[in-house]
Amino acid sequence: MRTLSLLFATLCLMLTSCITEEVAQDTPLGNFDTCWKIFDEHYCFFDLKAQESGLDWQEIRQRYRPQIADGMTNMQLFEVLGNMLRELRDGHVNLYAAHDVVRYGAWFDDYPDNYYEDVVQHYLGRAEDYKRSGTLDYRVLDDNVGYVRCETFASQFGTGNLEQVMEALADCNGLIVDVRHNGGGMLTAAQRLASLFFNEPMTLGYICHKTGAGHNDFSQPEPITEKPFKGLRWQKKVVVLANRHTYSAANSFVMFLKGLPNVTILGDRTGGGAGLPFSSELPNGWLVRFSACPMYDRHMMPTEQGIEPDVRVDMTDADRNSQVDTLIERARRLIGE
Amino acid sequence: MVYFHYIRLRLAALMIVATAMVATVHATEPDSLRTVERQWMFGIGHTNLLDTYLSMLEYKGPSLSVTHRTERPAHWGKGRVGVISHYTAQAALAQSPTEDARMYDMSVRAMGGLVRQWNPSPRWRLAAGAMAGGAMGLTYNTRNGNNPAQARFEASVDAELLAEYSFPLFKKTARLRGELQAPLLGVAFTPRFGQSYYELVSLQMRDRNVIFTQPGNAPCVRFAATLEIPLLGARLNIGFLSDVRQSKFHGIKHHCWQNQFVVGYTRHLFIRR
């Protein structure tokens, strides 16, 4: 009976032990503090941003917190938080409110597009002229070069999809894979598409994650390995077209392929976005998104700031006006050389 | 001499008859009656949900549960040891404080164990023991991108306490029961603080994802108070269920507090041994 009493007392103690998260009030200052804290504990690129732009997150707090006032409107709060988050210079950092989304776009706004949908459509032709398998549009160009347009990695490629594309383009002299303006999606889809271009299991890059709230609390980077595609794989020249809008999982796709034999990256530097983004919320319901798991290339180099192409090519105005895609034409010449 | 011989014969005959009668009585009377109690409980109530892997905010909303509970005496222990099992499934739909997002939470749990019983008075039954089992569950946030859900797998050894009080009600016996379970030791799956499910599932990367649990890092308790009323050969149950599931692993805080009104029925099956 004594043991029973002891057990009951222990259980009663356990009952009083509640696990909760201390969240600030839904006030301008409460929302500011919560936003700052979420990034302070979870954001993964503080060191990289400090090297790149001298970012000091504590200093950011001291600079922006005085701009918060009790009576400020939601719009004013949104503006202050937006300005604070843009200091991170990260395309994966967003603040979603009902009226707007904070986003950082200097990584593409300040550079030429190098991609015009009407020009690309000129190459693909009418709807009946090209084929579509999953999210891949493809056709054989006049000079027997295969062209694959991949505008998103939002959904996974089926084995059948990739087999059909490979079979349809198997007789081509070379392949152009166009991931310009591809804003990303699923990393697993990027891995799958990349698996068409190597014949042995490969380390495509590295990834790690935060193990605690400290700015330097990271796990050991682990290799991202991928097996080659089981069906028909591409063995000839392949040119990957990239521009500043090649971002996130598309940036990873370029990272996976860069340096492989027969692969040439052509166009502009990619947009970057090498941090797998997580989401959280502020007390007022606004959603925040931030880079959480950093990825590195196979040489353990960061690609958050984008990947330089092997061949730098910009779209010319003359070509643009003539419905000619400078990048595609250069890729065709490279394959023909 | 003939008289004594006659008496000996009659005594012998009586002994044979008496022995036969006793044997007959033993043959017709059961050794004992074993009672198996089967109880179904359906709960509806309120959930308070927090998972800092998904959001810093507490989500609240309705929840449902169904519990199947059985209890029977063990084959050994002279009726003082009982075997109890619990199977529970629950689902909750919770909204963020600003109603901008939802979380769906569901889990299943199976526990079984032994209890030592005491009867300090004819109306009271007390029991204490240990149960072992496991649970799995998922919390899904409708708004998140790469961290949309949190999976839970756990196995534990729980303390089990039970108190019953029987009392007459409309010439039958009603019963008040309080039952409490609390995990004492176990193991549980958890991602690391900022580990993605892409790493865990797609890349099969592990980083101390199975940890030992104890009341310090996972203080949980389940308490059910029910009133059992005899009704048409079964027993109608009404009561209250409070299920407090909490953890703090690798800096990720989780809680699922459920308070539910429960209703159900109990059937007693008498099995001759």
Side-chain angles (χ1 to χ4, degrees):
Chain A
M1 210 60 191
R2 202 173 142 192
T3 312
L4 199 65
S5 307
L6 199 65
L7 192 62
F8 187 72
T10 309
L11 292 174
C12 288
L13 271 177
M14 285 159 56
L15 279 172
T16 60
S17 165
C18 287
I19 288 179
T20 57
E21 177 71 0
E22 199 172 314
V23 179
Q25 294 283 313
D26 180 10
T27 60
L29 201 58
N31 283 298
F32 175 89
D33 285 342
T34 305
C35 183
W36 186 87
K37 186 184 168 201
I38 288 171
F39 280 84
D40 187 52
E41 293 182 348
H42 294 270
Y43 186 66
C44 70
F45 286 131
F46 281 124
D47 271 5
L48 191 68
K49 303 293 176 178
Q51 289 167 21
E52 178 201 71
S53 61
L55 179 88
D56 178 345
W57 195 236
Q58 286 291 341
E59 183 274 327
I60 294 281
R61 182 173 190 264
Q62 286 162 12
R63 184 145 45 95
Y64 283 93
R65 203 168 188 267
Q67 297 177 30
I68 304 295
D70 271 349
M72 72 194 306
T73 64
N74 273 346
M75 300 286 187
Q76 290 166 329
L77 175 65
F78 187 82
E79 190 180 337
V80 175
L81 291 180
N83 291 338
M84 179 176 81
L85 296 182
R86 282 191 197 94
E87 298 268 5
L88 293 164
R89 303 183 186 193
D90 186 332
H92 273 148
V93 168
N94 299 108
L95 174 65
Y96 296 83
H99 68 283
D100 200 3
V101 178
V102 166
R103 58 212 184 276
Y104 174 74
W107 44 279
F108 58 84
D109 279 339
D110 296 345
Y111 302 93
D113 255 5
N114 287 320
Y115 175 85
Y116 299 96
E117 200 169 343
D118 58 321
V119 178
V120 168
Q121 205 59 47
H122 179 73
Y123 285 82
L124 281 171
R126 292 166 56 86
E128 62 270 23
D129 293 336
Y130 64 94
K131 291 178 179 170
R132 175 169 290 170
S133 181
T135 54
L136 299 176
D137 293 343
Y138 62 101
R139 71 169 298 174
V140 180
L141 302 179
D142 296 339
D143 51 354
N144 199 30
V145 168
Y147 174 77
V148 179
R149 167 81 191 127
C150 176
E151 64 178 8
T152 180
F153 286 111
S155 56
Q156 181 59 286
F157 303 108
T159 303
N161 294 135
L162 297 182
E163 278 176 351
Q164 290 300 315
V165 174
M166 285 291 98
E167 279 178 27
L169 304 177
D171 293 333
C172 292
N173 300 327
L175 185 66
I176 297 170
V177 181
D178 191 347
V179 289
R180 288 175 294 172
H181 267 60
N182 182 327
M186 299 167 66
L187 276 166
T188 48
Q191 285 174 231
R192 197 90 200 275
L193 190 61
S195 73
L196 292 172
F197 304 105
F198 49 83
N199 298 314
E200 298 291 334
M202 279 208 64
T203 294
L204 302 174
Y206 290 86
I207 189 170
C208 62
H209 53 260
K210 291 208 71 183
T211 55
H215 286 196
N216 297 309
D217 293 344
F218 286 101
S219 64
Q220 283 296 316
E222 296 269 357
I224 301 168
T225 52
E226 181 69 29
K227 291 176 184 166
F229 183 63
K230 283 183 179 168
L232 197 58
R233 291 186 295 275
W234 193 259
Q235 307 295 330
K236 296 177 239 179
K237 283 184 181 176
V238 55
V239 179
V240 178
L241 305 186
N243 68 352
R244 291 275 173 170
H245 281 275
T246 302
Y247 194 71
S248 193
N251 181 72
S252 297
F253 174 74
V254 174
M255 179 181 91
F256 296 158
L257 292 193
K258 187 171 167 77
L260 292 186
N262 294 333
V263 174
T264 304
I265 312 297
L266 186 146
D268 201 352
R269 187 185 181 92
T270 60
L276 192 75
F278 272 25
S279 309
S280 193
E281 286 174 292
L282 305 187
N284 64 0
W286 292 350
L287 186 81
V288 286
R289 196 168 78 127
F290 49 87
S291 298
C293 302
M295 277 178 285
Y296 305 91
D297 68 12
R298 64 174 69 86
H299 308 294
M300 270 305 290
M301 296 303 291
T303 59
E304 163 63 11
Q305 306 307 324
I307 300 162
E308 279 297 330
D310 299 316
V311 179
R312 178 68 186 269
V313 179
D314 281 331
M315 195 96 154
T316 65
D317 289 340
D319 282 349
R320 162 85 180 95
N321 293 333
S322 321
Q323 295 280 290
V324 171
D325 192 311
T326 318
L327 281 74
I328 292 178
E329 292 304 324
R330 184 66 187 278
R332 293 168 85 170
R333 286 204 299 277
L334 263 176
I335 288 168
E337 283 171 3
Chain B
M1 284 296 288
V2 174
Y3 178 75
F4 281 114
H5 180 71
Y6 176 72
I7 288 175
R8 273 204 300 271
L9 276 174
R10 285 196 64 174
L11 278 173
L14 273 171
M15 283 176 70
I16 290 167
V17 170
T19 307
M21 282 177 69
V22 169
T24 308
V25 167
H26 276 269
T28 54
E29 186 182 87
D31 290 340
S32 68
L33 278 174
R34 296 177 65 237
T35 308
V36 178
E37 182 183 286
R38 290 182 178 170
Q39 184 184 48
W40 283 95
M41 299 290 283
F42 304 92
I44 183 166
H46 183 264
T47 290
N48 181 313
L49 203 56
L50 168 77
D51 196 311
T52 57
Y53 186 80
L54 306 174
S55 170
M56 315 280 271
L57 307 182
E58 291 182 3
Y59 282 52
K60 294 171 185 173
S63 64
L64 298 169
S65 74
V66 56
T67 303
H68 178 59
R69 179 186 183 279
T70 63
E71 183 177 353
R72 64 173 174 80
H75 293 287
W76 46 277
K78 298 177 182 174
R80 289 194 293 266
V81 178
V83 182
I84 296 179
S85 64
H86 280 257
Y87 304 95
T88 305
Q90 70 84 26
L93 170 59
Q95 279 199 315
S96 68
T98 52
E99 300 186 356
D100 288 305
R102 286 180 171 185
M103 277 194 202
Y104 298 98
D105 183 83
M106 57 207 75
S107 65
V108 289
R109 177 175 298 274
M111 302 291 293
L114 300 172
V115 289
R116 168 72 164 85
Q117 302 180 95
W118 295 271
N119 292 91
S121 77
R123 289 192 172 181
W124 278 98
R125 181 170 78 99
L126 303 176
M131 298 183 78
M136 55 194 288
L138 182 82
T139 306
Y140 174 74
N141 187 302
T142 56
R143 201 154 73 140
N144 286 4
N146 286 302
N147 55 330
Q150 177 76 295
R152 294 185 300 279
F153 300 94
E154 58 198 51
S156 63
V157 175
D158 294 15
E160 159 89 10
L161 294 175
L162 186 145
E164 270 180 15
Y165 177 73
S166 302
F167 59 96
L169 184 73
F170 304 121
K171 297 180 181 174
K172 293 195 173 178
T173 304
R175 193 162 61 182
L176 270 173
R177 174 191 284 160
E179 187 173 16
L180 187 144
Q181 292 167 338
L184 299 176
L185 269 178
V187 289
F189 159 82
T190 178
R192 287 299 291 266
F193 182 73
Q195 190 177 16
S196 63
Y197 276 84
Y198 165 68
E199 293 167 274
L200 277 163
V201 179
S202 301
L203 303 178
Q204 301 278 304
M205 292 174 181
R206 301 289 176 260
D207 186 9
R208 300 180 199 171
N209 299 118
V210 177
I211 59 170
F212 285 101
T213 61
Q214 31 80 17
N217 62 8
C220 303
V221 69
R222 181 184 187 276
F223 177 71
T226 51
L227 171 64
E228 293 184 14
I229 304 163
L231 187 75
L232 301 173
R235 299 172 80 86
L236 176 71
N237 302 308
I238 53 171
F240 169 78
L241 170 69
S242 181
D243 196 1
V244 175
R245 300 278 147 197
Q246 307 182 114
S247 62
K248 186 181 177 185
F249 305 142
H250 295 322
I252 299 170
K253 294 177 181 175
H254 171 85
H255 77 221
C256 179
W257 302 333
Q258 294 195 332
N259 292 303
Q260 294 184 337
F261 169 74
V262 289
V263 62
Y265 66 92
T266 305
R267 288 183 70 85
H268 288 113
L269 305 176
F270 298 96
I271 298 172
R272 291 182 193 282
R273 186 161 57 176

